[in-house]
Amino acid sequence: MSLRLLALPPRGLLLLLLPRLRRRGSPAGAVHARAFGPSSFPARARVFSGMAAAGSPPPQERRVEVRERVELTEKEERIFRRLLDVVRHFGLGTQLRVAGGWVRDKLLGKDSSDIDIALDNMTGQNFCEKVNEYSELLGEEQKTIGVIQCNPDQSKHLETARMLIFDIWIDFVNLRSEKYAENSRIPTVEIGTAKEDAFRRDLTINSLFFNINTCSVEDLTGRGIEDLKKGLIVTPLPAKATFLDDPLRVLRAIRFAARFNFTLNEDLKEAASDEKVKSELGSKISKERIGHEVDLMMSDKHPVNAMCCIRDLGLFYVVFAFPEKTDPQVPDKCDQLCVSHIEVAWNLAHSIGCSVFSGGSDSKSQDEHRRLCLYSALFTPLRSTVYFDKKSKKIPVANYIIRDSLKLKASDADTVVNIHAASEKFAELINLLESNENLANVKEKLDDEYLEIPTDLVKRVSAGLILREIKDFWRAALFISTLTYPEFGSASDCLSHQDELHRRNEKYKTAESSITELELDGVWKMKPLLDGKAIMGIMQAKAGPLIGKWQQRLLKWQLAYPEGTMEECIEWMKQSQSKRQKVECTT
């Protein structure tokens, strides 16, 4: 390339290149796209809502609007233009193809920043080095190249190179073909053609390429675009063989079906329900990979659809593996119980509104609350079920599933277990907040010889103690308690009776309002007026159980006297100490 061409602004250079690129022609199965510049698109059609249940017939005459062209953002135009400049300048002859999910999402009119580029004649690292070389010619700063080594255990079957191009991370990888041994999900990987690469992918809707060189979408399986239009989840090759090669693809199929409200193909459902496929999913796939897929489902837009599909395909006990012995024994049809609870929880949460998942000011915090609340709902039928570990210690089964079966964070398991424990306490608290019937009994439990709680503050103290245990997940605990409130009957009743849903809605909102009116939202942030050392000085006692009891008593005092000062607290403790000494002298 001449220096005069290098001096041209990017768009001018592209205009010179594009006619030559277009004259090369397009491969079979290509759909032309006005890739660089504005495009006109038909209005979005109504998309069928609700993923078909695993055992139900596919919806009739279903069509999903799929765009005829890929519309690029200005940033994407710049990136692709730069990559073409590199190919042209060094005479690499490389075909650059954006693979998979980015193409799918673009055709559905959705934004995507996940750009994976497949190369036909060189490694990702080598191409990234050429990109840096070209940047140096333009006087630009070279970027760091990250190389992700082949790691079959984590589904990384070929080396991937990453680099930042115009502030967007781009992955570069070779086109590849895969062959699987009978007893392994780790394939033998070789450099392949674009068509081989398309057919080895998990789903037809994920097998599409956008060829940057020819400005076209390539549908090399011959059915990716049509399946996208029909809203069908289909494997490029026979489903059972595809799943036996890599059983993790079963969960990926469910995840994408749930995400887009698409329908699982009948052959795919039959293969996913096959006993050998289920056995291979449990034995060949690591718990970490299963947990990652499940977590993506629970964090996505339609988690209930995904859980229903896992249940209907008979995969529940494979995905959510239980410990061998539990107390009490896991009930029959536990899978149906668990999924019915998350179904009701989802409907109830939408009925109540976004406050259920509130617990922080940022969207990330809201998403985290939502995710853990849904896990809590899913495993609510198991909240009183335990198993015994090697040290004969009782461990909640929900803890086992989250930590051992799904290999999620220990903090996730702890939070779910705490939500379950607090939800049982909230059942009593809801009654207390709504009436004064048991007020005397609660007051008797809170009072002792050194502290008497004013009757009108008993509710505040009792609620405050519970809220401090669960902290900012108190709405989730209240929500689970409302979901299982004893006077309403089983949660599954809500699926057929809207009045049950309404009653639970009212129960939640009444309790939530009461807690807010008592000024307890954020009570876990309340700091003790006196630390342990100060208490030891006032009570003239050494560190030990006695000081722990006084720290708890101090907490009750602060809840009962929210405007109390440190001086008033010290005076109360001195009086209590004097009373304690008199009692000790008498005894």
Side-chain angles (χ1 to χ4, degrees):
M1 181 178 292
S2 69
L3 292 177
R4 187 173 65 85
L5 285 179
L6 282 174
L8 284 171
R11 183 171 290 273
L13 179 56
L14 186 67
L15 291 174
L16 288 177
L17 290 175
L18 282 179
R20 299 172 188 170
L21 296 174
R22 287 174 179 144
R23 282 198 295 270
R24 294 178 185 174
S26 302
V31 178
H32 284 286
R34 281 178 58 191
F36 304 101
S39 301
S40 57
F41 300 98
R44 179 169 294 281
R46 181 180 68 86
V47 177
F48 185 91
S49 62
M51 183 181 70
S56 64
Q60 299 298 312
E61 298 182 1
R62 178 178 181 186
R63 301 297 287 181
V64 175
E65 183 194 348
V66 175
R67 296 187 171 190
E68 295 179 1
R69 300 182 176 107
V70 169
E71 182 179 18
L72 301 183
T73 64
E74 290 185 11
K75 182 67 68 69
E76 289 164 343
E77 285 186 25
R78 290 184 66 201
I79 291 170
F80 294 169
R81 197 181 300 127
R82 171 57 59 88
L83 299 179
L84 284 174
D85 291 349
V86 172
V87 171
R88 187 77 177 175
H89 177 73
F90 293 107
L92 301 176
T94 306
Q95 291 286 309
L96 303 168
R97 292 177 171 91
V98 189
W102 181 92
V103 188
R104 177 200 66 223
D105 289 348
K106 283 289 184 178
L107 291 176
L108 291 173
K110 302 176 184 294
D111 292 330
S112 178
S113 59
D114 185 18
I115 301 177
D116 297 332
I117 294 182
L119 309 166
D120 66 341
N121 65 353
M122 63 192 309
T123 67
Q125 183 173 2
N126 287 341
F127 186 81
C128 288
E129 289 169 354
K130 290 296 183 183
V131 173
N132 266 340
E133 228 181 294
Y134 186 76
S135 298
E136 188 176 20
L137 287 174
L138 298 180
E140 297 176 357
E141 179 184 355
Q142 296 194 32
K143 302 296 183 182
T144 301
I145 301 171
V147 178
I148 304 169
Q149 298 296 334
C150 171
N151 186 351
D153 289 335
Q154 295 299 320
S155 294
K156 289 290 183 186
H157 303 311
L158 204 64
E159 179 182 287
T160 302
R162 299 193 85 197
M163 75 181 306
L164 205 60
I165 301 178
F166 299 130
D167 302 321
I168 298 289
W169 283 105
I170 311 293
D171 285 1
F172 296 88
V173 69
N174 297 111
L175 293 170
R176 66 185 187 263
S177 64
E178 297 175 348
K179 294 181 181 179
Y180 288 83
E182 184 176 346
N183 297 316
S184 174
R185 65 173 289 267
I186 300 173
T188 300
V189 178
E190 298 175 349
I191 301 299
T193 65
K195 190 169 185 176
E196 287 174 329
D197 193 284
F199 272 95
R200 63 94 193 161
R201 291 181 179 266
D202 54 359
L203 304 171
T204 56
I205 64 170
N206 293 337
S207 68
L208 299 166
F209 291 114
F210 177 74
N211 189 316
I212 299 174
N213 301 62
T214 61
C215 311
S216 61
V217 174
E218 297 174 342
D219 184 3
L220 301 179
T221 66
R223 60 176 302 173
I225 290 175
E226 187 59 27
D227 288 337
L228 203 57
K229 289 178 179 178
K230 291 179 179 178
L232 278 177
I233 298 296
V234 187
T235 55
L237 297 173
K240 185 174 178 179
T242 297
F243 292 156
L244 289 176
D245 281 345
D246 185 356
L248 186 66
R249 289 169 172 169
V250 175
L251 298 184
R252 285 178 57 81
I254 292 171
R255 175 160 64 85
F256 284 113
R259 174 183 294 180
F260 297 115
N261 280 325
F262 281 7
T263 303
L264 295 174
N265 167 270
E266 289 299 319
D267 290 340
L268 186 150
K269 288 190 289 187
E270 184 179 343
S273 302
D274 183 87
E275 289 303 320
K276 187 174 182 181
V277 171
K278 288 194 283 188
S279 175
E280 296 282 270
L281 177 60
S283 61
K284 286 172 68 173
I285 305 301
S286 70
K287 300 297 185 184
E288 288 85 356
R289 295 299 296 154
I290 290 176
H292 179 67
E293 286 296 325
V294 170
D295 215 37
L296 289 174
M297 296 176 197
M298 293 292 275
S299 303
D300 218 332
K301 294 180 179 179
H302 303 289
V304 176
N305 285 0
M307 295 304 110
C308 287
C309 202
I310 286 174
R311 174 198 62 195
D312 295 343
L313 292 172
L315 297 169
F316 188 88
Y317 298 108
V318 179
V319 173
F320 305 109
F322 286 63
E324 289 185 7
K325 295 181 180 179
T326 64
D327 182 25
Q329 187 174 350
V330 173
D332 291 337
K333 298 182 179 179
C334 182
D335 55 340
Q336 296 184 31
L337 280 173
C338 289
V339 176
S340 69
H341 274 75
I342 195 173
E343 284 185 275
V344 175
W346 186 257
N347 293 334
L348 181 59
H350 281 271
S351 171
I352 292 169
C354 62
S355 69
V356 175
F357 304 131
S358 64
S361 57
D362 59 287
S363 59
K364 185 176 181 181
S365 177
Q366 303 286 335
D367 292 343
E368 185 71 354
H369 276 68
R370 171 187 178 275
R371 184 178 71 88
L372 292 171
C373 190
L374 290 174
Y375 274 120
S376 301
L378 180 66
F379 300 130
T380 291
L382 300 167
R383 66 178 177 177
S384 300
T385 307
V386 301
Y387 76 101
F388 294 91
D389 67 7
K390 294 179 180 179
K391 297 181 180 179
S392 298
K393 182 181 178 182
K394 283 185 177 181
I395 307 292
V397 167
N399 180 294
Y400 177 92
I401 294 173
I402 294 172
R403 293 186 68 165
D404 296 283
S405 298
L406 301 178
K407 296 292 184 181
L408 301 181
K409 294 181 294 185
S411 59
D412 289 348
D414 293 341
T415 298
V416 169
V417 168
N418 287 339
I419 287 173
H420 283 165
S423 69
E424 295 184 315
K425 295 181 181 179
F426 263 106
E428 298 178 10
L429 182 60
I430 289 173
N431 284 330
L432 178 66
L433 293 173
E434 288 184 347
S435 69
N436 296 321
E437 290 182 9
N438 298 318
L439 204 59
N441 292 336
V442 176
K443 176 176 167 57
E444 186 176 347
K445 291 179 182 178
L446 292 174
D447 286 346
D448 60 32
E449 65 269 34
Y450 304 113
L451 176 63
E452 181 177 353
I453 308 297
T455 302
D456 60 336
L457 288 168
V458 167
K459 293 182 180 181
R460 187 177 197 276
V461 175
S462 181
L465 293 174
I466 295 175
L467 292 175
R468 281 181 66 87
E469 287 183 28
I470 196 61
K471 298 183 179 179
D472 56 348
F473 282 94
W474 70 265
R475 284 186 173 86
L478 172 60
F479 177 73
I480 298 301
S481 180
T482 307
L483 190 68
T484 57
Y485 199 66
E487 73 178 50
F488 291 151
S490 69
S492 58
D493 292 340
C494 281
L495 294 175
S496 54
H497 299 290
Q498 282 298 311
D499 58 331
E500 290 289 339
L501 190 65
H502 177 72
R503 291 171 68 193
R504 283 175 165 83
N505 183 333
E506 291 301 310
K507 183 72 70 174
Y508 176 91
K509 288 186 174 178
T510 300
E512 181 188 43
S513 296
S514 297
I515 290 171
T516 303
E517 289 169 5
L518 291 171
E519 299 181 350
L520 289 174
D521 190 0
V523 68
W524 52 89
K525 298 176 184 177
M526 181 181 76
K527 295 181 180 180
L529 292 173
L530 302 170
D531 60 19
K533 187 175 180 180
I535 293 174
M536 284 189 286
I538 296 170
M539 304 310 296
Q540 299 177 17
K542 296 180 180 179
L546 178 64
I547 301 303
K549 289 180 181 179
W550 276 100
Q551 286 176 319
Q552 185 67 9
R553 196 171 282 132
L554 171 61
L555 177 59
K556 293 180 187 178
W557 187 91
Q558 286 186 234
L559 287 168
Y561 302 98
E563 303 299 326
T565 64
M566 182 184 293
E567 290 72 19
E568 291 170 334
C569 180
I570 291 173
E571 181 59 30
W572 161 68
M573 292 198 75
K574 285 181 177 179
Q575 291 176 2
S576 298
Q577 163 62 358
S578 177
K579 183 177 180 180
R580 185 174 72 90
Q581 288 176 335
K582 289 179 181 179
V583 171
E584 288 177 352
C585 288
T586 303
T587 56

